[in-house]
Amino acid sequence: MSFIGVVAGKKCFENIRKKLAEELKQEDMNFIQINLRSIENVKNIKFETIIIEDNKEKFKEQQEILKKICDSTQYVIINTDKNINENQINSSNYITYGLNQKANVTVSSISETDVLVYWQKSLKNKAGNIIEIEEKRVKKEKNKRLQTYEILIIDILFKLYCNNIIEVT
């Protein structure tokens, strides 16, 4: 059973969880939202992946707990537009994302109908396959307006947990 911790607002968490539940249909994946109220309750859970979308500054008093959770995690996915100190994380498999050119996964183009996602770093997914450097066009659905950061997170999780490519919309 895989536990995926998501440090994000409620709307972002729900969008990610719903999209992945629709596409992956894996019952052994459990998404847990981590916020200021819940961090004490989840500090002893062994997460496979942690996603840090929210600004870590909100967790100033809980920095040590958040660091401990991240250090024991296989994958740490961190938004470098909101969190500058990803170097504090000891995970060998940390993946950065954002709209900046230093992020491992970034966006090279955004339009009303699609997003061009650019992977700038190769890494191994859960199955041991190499995720190559690539650029991929992701179509946006008209009715479901996912934020750009949510699209990046979903694309990263699809590549980490799936061998086949699924369109993120």
Side-chain angles (χ1 to χ4, degrees), residues 60-120:
K60 266 188 178 174
E61 294 178 18
Q62 294 89 3
Q63 280 292 329
E64 285 305 312
I65 296 171
L66 191 57
K67 184 178 180 340
K68 180 184 166 221
I69 291 170
C70 290
D71 288 348
S72 65
T73 301
Q74 185 176 358
Y75 295 104
V76 177
I77 303 168
I78 187 165
N79 183 335
T80 53
D81 291 340
K82 297 179 182 178
N83 301 288
I84 317 167
N85 294 331
E86 76 272 4
N87 296 332
Q88 294 176 327
I89 298 167
N90 293 330
S91 175
S92 60
N93 287 325
Y94 77 87
I95 303 165
T96 61
Y97 71 95
L99 302 179
N100 64 75
Q101 60 186 333
K102 292 183 181 181
N104 301 138
V105 182
T106 189
V107 173
S108 54
S109 174
I110 301 174
S111 73
E112 287 294 319
T113 58
D114 55 24
V115 174
L116 200 55
V117 177
Y118 180 47
W119 279 70
Q120 301 188 88

Side-chain angles (χ1 to χ4, degrees), residues 14-29:
E14 287 299 323
N15 286 341
I16 292 166
R17 188 184 60 75
K18 282 180 188 174
K19 184 62 180 174
L20 290 168
E22 284 173 15
E23 298 290 341
L24 295 179
K25 296 176 180 72
Q26 292 185 12
E27 294 177 19
D28 64 338
M29 290 179 78

Side-chain angles (χ1 to χ4, degrees), residues 16 18-26 29 77 119 125-126 131 136 138 146 150-169:
I16 292 166
K18 282 180 188 174
K19 184 62 180 174
L20 290 168
E22 284 173 15
E23 298 290 341
L24 295 179
K25 296 176 180 72
Q26 292 185 12
M29 290 179 78
I77 303 168
W119 279 70
N125 69 4
K126 188 177 172 191
I131 301 169
K136 175 180 133 182
V138 176
L146 293 174
E150 294 167 4
I151 291 171
L152 291 173
I153 293 167
I154 292 166
D155 189 56
I156 292 167
L157 289 173
F158 277 143
K159 288 191 173 150
L160 287 179
Y161 286 91
C162 297
N163 291 328
N164 56 340
I165 302 300
I166 299 172
E167 282 301 311
V168 180
T169 52

